[in-house]
């Protein structure tokens, strides 16, 4: 049993009994039966996410350990039922890559490691802010899963969609599964008109110029086969917001299969958006570079 507590002013309940011991004995057997022997590494790059980190970690643990099989079966069917961590759950780890946050994010992460265990929460900090691409490279080096989730730590990507990603990947044995705001039931909440126009405009221009074969290039909630992510990161040269876009473009170039899952993107709860004028200019420059080189 893993004790609960308060982290960053947020009350965290105890992990379900047996959740911290799923890697051995009967728990490991049940995990392999449900997850097919797969392990999922979640990479969480952070910078000034002290308030958001406890919440996103709690949600990740909840949806990996205690979840409903509805997302993995046909909704409403006789096979759709609720399970607990003792009966099911996926094998996973959460890798926190903090880039020297001045707000104490790393100290909060250390408390989370104590609560959930060092087998589930891996701290791999860096001394300073070095960019998203290098954060992924750093995280992959420490990932022990054969699948890797990348997502934002600011609660804009809800872990409730994780079972949908896993189901989609298994349906088509996709190399990449990307969350999309622009297809099916996908959408955005919490953005003002300016932000929506920027996002829609950026996505439209990239579709016209790059024809990537995916509906949402600038999103950053994705599931990769580990070896695929490693190859893509090695190929990519972009930084900032263009990096995610280049990942999909390079995946298409290398003939990797891409599946999509509709997601709801919610604007960050705590902290300030890191999107500014400099990022928009960098995006346009990166887009033109990809158009000229791909």
């Amino acid at each position: 049993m893993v004790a609960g507590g308060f982290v960053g002013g947020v009350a965290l309940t105890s992990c379900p009994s047996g959740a911290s011991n799923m890697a051995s004995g009967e728990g490991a057997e049940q995990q392999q039966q449900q997850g097919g022997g797969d392990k999922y590494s979640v990479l969480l790059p952070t910078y000034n996410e002290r308030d958001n980190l406890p919440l996103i970690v709690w949600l990740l643990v909840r949806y990996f350990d205690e979840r409903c099989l509805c997302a993995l079966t046909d909704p409403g069917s006789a096979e759709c039922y609720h399970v607990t961590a003792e009966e099911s759950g996926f094998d996973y780890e959460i890798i926190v890559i903090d880039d020297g946050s001045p707000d104490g994010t790393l100290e909060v992460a250390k408390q989370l490691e104590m609560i959930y265990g060092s087998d589930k929460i891996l701290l791999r900090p860096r001394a300073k802010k070095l960019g998203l691409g290098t954060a992924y490279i750093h995280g992959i080096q420490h990932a022990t899963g054969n699948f890797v989730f990348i997502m934002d730590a600011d609660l804009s990507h809800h872990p409730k969609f994780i079972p949908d990603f896993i189901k989609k990947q298994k349906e088509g044995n996709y190399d990449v599964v990307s969350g999309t705001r622009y297809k099916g039931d996908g959408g955005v909440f919490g953005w003002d008109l300016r932000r929506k126009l920027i996002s829609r405009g950026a996505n439209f221009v990239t579709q016209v110029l790059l024809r990537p074969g995916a509906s949402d290039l600038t999103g950053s909630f994705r599931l990769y086969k580990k070896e695929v992510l490693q190859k893509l990161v090695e190929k990519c040269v972009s930084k900032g917001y263009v990096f995610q876009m280049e990942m999909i473009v390079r995946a298409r170039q290398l003939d990797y299969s891409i599946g999509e899952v509709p997601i709801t993107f919610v604007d960050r709860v705590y902290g300030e958006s890191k999107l500014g004028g400099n990022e928009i200019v960098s995006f346009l420059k990166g887009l033109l570079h990809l158009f000229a080189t791909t």
Side-chain angles (χ1 to χ4, degrees), residues 10 48-49 51-52 55 154-155 267-273:
V10 178
N48 287 346
E49 299 292 356
D51 295 324
N52 292 317
L55 295 172
D154 61 4
L155 298 174
D267 199 17
R268 61 167 48 243
V269 178
Y270 299 111
E272 296 181 356
S273 172

Side-chain angles (χ1 to χ4, degrees), residues 123-138:
L123 307 185
R124 298 296 182 265
R126 303 190 295 175
K128 60 181 180 179
K129 201 171 183 180
L130 298 171
L132 192 59
T134 58
Y136 289 146
I137 293 172
H138 185 68

Side-chain angles (χ1 to χ4, degrees), residues 40-294:
Y40 298 89
S41 299
V42 181
L43 304 187
L44 282 184
T46 60
Y47 187 77
N48 287 346
E49 299 292 356
R50 173 188 177 88
D51 295 324
N52 292 317
L53 188 60
L55 295 172
I56 191 68
V57 168
W58 183 82
L59 287 167
L60 282 166
V61 170
R62 176 187 174 189
Y63 283 97
F64 272 119
D65 274 349
E66 184 178 1
R67 55 189 189 79
C68 174
L69 285 181
C70 300
L72 300 180
T73 60
D74 294 327
S77 73
E79 298 177 24
C80 188
Y81 59 93
H82 293 275
V83 296
T84 63
E86 288 83 356
E87 297 167 329
S88 187
F90 294 109
D91 191 9
Y92 69 95
E93 62 187 4
I94 302 168
I95 303 175
V96 181
I97 308 150
D98 186 64
D99 275 3
S101 298
D103 72 340
T105 298
L106 183 57
E107 285 66 33
V108 169
K110 289 177 180 177
Q111 295 179 54
L112 294 168
E113 181 185 36
M114 292 176 63
I115 291 172
Y116 295 107
S118 58
D119 60 326
K120 293 302 181 190
I121 309 296
L122 284 68
L123 307 185
R124 298 296 182 265
R126 303 190 295 175
K128 60 181 180 179
K129 201 171 183 180
L130 298 171
L132 192 59
T134 58
Y136 289 146
I137 293 172
H138 185 68
I140 292 169
Q141 291 172 350
H142 301 282
T144 60
N146 56 321
F147 286 94
V148 178
F149 273 101
I150 63 169
M151 60 190 301
D152 293 344
D154 61 4
L155 298 174
S156 56
H157 299 145
H158 201 297
K160 70 180 180 180
F161 295 108
I162 280 177
D164 296 330
F165 277 79
I166 295 173
K167 177 188 175 185
K168 185 68 176 181
Q169 192 284 322
K170 291 186 179 300
E171 282 179 352
N173 191 28
Y174 290 106
D175 298 308
V176 183
V177 178
S178 182
T180 176
R181 298 161 290 180
Y182 306 123
K183 189 175 179 180
D185 296 329
V188 174
F189 289 92
W191 279 0
D192 58 21
L193 180 61
R194 171 182 170 275
R195 186 78 185 269
K196 288 181 179 179
L197 288 175
I198 290 173
S199 178
R200 283 284 187 178
N203 200 63
F204 175 76
V205 172
T206 54
Q207 293 291 336
V208 171
L209 293 181
L210 303 179
R211 301 187 181 278
S215 62
D216 190 346
L217 267 72
T218 56
S220 54
F221 192 0
R222 294 174 187 163
L223 172 63
Y224 293 88
K225 291 180 178 178
K226 183 181 178 181
E227 67 274 14
V228 170
L229 180 58
Q230 288 174 315
K231 291 178 182 177
L232 289 175
V233 168
E234 291 170 1
K235 292 281 186 182
C236 291
V237 298
S238 302
K239 296 180 180 179
Y241 290 90
V242 184
F243 178 80
Q244 301 292 1
M245 181 171 64
E246 184 178 0
M247 292 278 279
I248 291 295
V249 173
R250 300 298 179 194
R252 182 205 62 190
Q253 279 188 324
L254 296 172
D255 291 325
Y256 288 132
S257 56
I258 303 172
E260 291 189 303
V261 169
I263 63 167
T264 302
F265 180 97
V266 180
D267 199 17
R268 61 167 48 243
V269 178
Y270 299 111
E272 296 181 356
S273 172
K274 300 175 178 69
L275 177 64
N278 290 336
E279 284 74 18
I280 294 174
V281 172
S282 296
F283 170 83
L284 293 174
K285 288 180 178 178
L287 175 61
L288 292 175
H289 172 75
L290 286 177
F291 176 68
T293 60
T294 60

